[in-house]
Amino acid sequence: MTDTQAKVIISGVVQGVWYRAHTEKQARSLGLTGYVKNLPTGQVEAVFTGPRETVEQAISWCHQGSPNARVSKVEVKWLDKPESYPDFGIRY
């Protein structure tokens, strides 16, 4: 089975509310690789790599996020040429 990869941009109150840490925990529990990072725009970017069904579970989770987050928008772009990541981590 071939892995798929999605880049997700999450908008709303998603910085300063432990969104990245919760995303990392969720992605690792699903066995995904990739990263999550804050953007200068106040959004969060995540890249999830793994089986499509599992990536879709992570994307679905992004709509709620961490307990103190208030997500207003989740944009998803499926990538044609997935990059390889050894694990899932927070980028600074």
Side-chain angles (χ1 to χ4, degrees):
M1 185 179 208
T2 305
D3 282 347
T4 59
Q5 189 169 74
K7 180 183 280 189
V8 184
I9 305 295
I10 304 101
S11 303
V13 179
V14 292
Q15 289 190 13
V17 292
W18 294 90
Y19 196 96
R20 289 176 301 157
H22 284 268
T23 303
E24 178 184 41
K25 181 178 178 182
Q26 180 68 16
R28 286 181 179 223
S29 75
L30 292 170
L32 298 175
T33 62
Y35 67 85
V36 62
K37 70 178 184 177
N38 283 340
L39 297 175
T41 58
Q43 299 166 304
V44 168
E45 174 183 286
V47 172
F48 300 110
T49 308
R52 186 173 181 110
E53 183 177 301
T54 309
V55 171
E56 288 173 348
Q57 288 176 20
I59 293 167
S60 179
W61 179 89
C62 287
H63 287 271
Q64 181 177 352
S66 64
N68 292 324
R70 290 197 310 268
V71 177
S72 61
K73 186 176 182 182
V74 176
E75 301 171 70
V76 179
K77 180 179 179 184
W78 293 95
L79 304 175
D80 293 332
K81 297 181 181 178
E83 286 187 48
S84 180
Y85 299 97
D87 57 16
F88 195 94
I90 296 174
R91 287 193 176 173
Y92 296 95

